[in-house]
Amino acid sequence: AIQMTQSPSSLSASVGDRVTITCRASEDIRNDLGWYQQKPGKAPKLLIYAASSLQSGVPSRFSGSGSGTDFTLTISSLQPEDSATYYCLQDYNYPRTFGPGTKVDVK
Amino acid sequence: EVQLVESGGILVQPGGSLRLSCVASGFPFSNFWMTWVRQAPGKGLEWVANIKQDGSVKYYVDSVKGRFTISRDNAKNSLYLQMNSLRAEDTAVYYCARDLTIEVSGSWFDACDIWGQGTTVTVS
């Protein structure tokens, strides 16, 4: 199975900061990657698919980039409601695999 | 309203069995692949299984192969996860999700765009 890693595992940033989360795949997954946001006690929410396509209704401060093995999720101007854990998920092959998550705390 | 509602999670003894259900509404259920994802207490997300629209193709994570079976009943807009030989490590919140297949610049991608609220399975 493809292994997904994320860095950092957690971060703390201030409102208005630019935040970048990295996801790395153990092999080339083209751009078959999505990003999900999960708040405590809630179901995950799709933010980005195909590495860089913004899901409908998701604020434009979220963006994704990358292909192959290295991907990033960027929040251009962090907002209080962005406090959550973010996961990447590869949909290149089966079994699908999630990254371990990055917890974002908004100061 | 597009919605997925899971049920069936309970406390069960190791070695026991359980069937989870997920009822869909607000969209043509039979048109979509469907997925189960789980989350152990305090841990990250784990993809468990998914199933094609007509039930003819299924995929599983290795840790549940031979023990779990995903199925669906399109007439009832329902997705199921039959869980046998349960272990303590199967303790988790189980989410069902809709698989959206999306075309971007001539290529196709999958993403879980609609999620249920989750149902809790405790094996102890």
Side-chain angles (χ1 to χ4, degrees):
Chain A
I2 295 174
Q3 305 300 313
M4 306 299 293
T5 57
Q6 287 183 233
S7 61
S9 56
S10 65
L11 66 90
S12 182
S14 299
V15 173
D17 283 354
R18 182 181 183 89
V19 168
T20 298
I21 298 168
T22 297
C23 176
R24 177 165 290 173
S26 61
E27 61 184 81
D28 187 345
I29 60 169
R30 303 181 308 190
N31 57 340
D32 295 340
L33 185 107
W35 288 98
Y36 296 80
Q37 175 194 65
Q38 187 182 33
K39 297 182 178 180
K42 300 295 186 181
K45 173 187 175 182
L46 174 65
L47 300 176
I48 301 283
Y49 59 90
S52 61
S53 295
L54 192 67
Q55 170 68 350
S56 176
V58 174
S60 59
R61 63 181 180 273
F62 291 93
S63 64
S65 64
S67 67
T69 60
D70 294 318
F71 302 87
T72 59
L73 173 70
T74 299
I75 309 173
S76 60
S77 178
L78 194 66
Q79 299 301 304
E81 60 267 31
D82 299 336
S83 181
T85 301
Y86 294 84
Y87 296 91
C88 58
L89 170 66
Q90 65 83 13
D91 59 284
Y92 178 73
N93 69 5
Y94 288 103
R96 306 288 197 230
T97 42
F98 284 95
T102 295
K103 186 174 183 180
V104 173
D105 174 63
V106 181
K107 294 176 187 174
Chain B
E1 180 190 4
V2 176
Q3 196 173 10
L4 295 169
V5 179
E6 302 96 333
S7 62
I10 59 169
L11 171 64
V12 61
Q13 291 184 343
S17 297
L18 193 59
R19 189 177 86 155
L20 304 182
S21 300
C22 169
V23 177
S25 58
F27 66 95
F29 178 75
S30 62
N31 288 2
F32 294 87
W33 283 73
M34 295 295 295
T35 289
W36 286 101
V37 170
R38 67 183 179 182
Q39 186 168 38
K43 303 297 184 181
L45 301 170
E46 180 181 33
W47 184 92
V48 174
N50 74 350
I51 184 169
K52 192 177 178 180
Q53 291 93 328
D54 63 359
S56 63
V57 180
K58 307 172 185 181
Y59 295 100
Y60 299 91
V61 68
D62 284 352
S63 59
V64 308
K65 279 182 184 175
R67 300 189 300 122
F68 289 11
T69 301
I70 189 172
S71 63
R72 64 192 296 161
D73 185 337
N74 289 339
K76 295 182 178 180
N77 289 338
S78 293
L79 175 72
Y80 306 104
L81 187 67
Q82 177 67 42
M83 310 164 66
N84 298 330
S85 302
L86 282 161
R87 306 167 180 167
E89 54 264 36
D90 296 318
T91 294
V93 175
Y94 285 75
Y95 296 99
C96 66
R98 185 178 81 171
D99 270 4
L100 184 64
T101 300
I102 316 157
E103 182 189 359
V104 178
S105 302
S107 296
W108 292 90
F109 300 89
D110 295 328
C112 293
D113 70 327
I114 304 296
W115 295 70
Q117 83 289 350
T119 188
T120 300
V121 174
T122 304
V123 184
S124 177

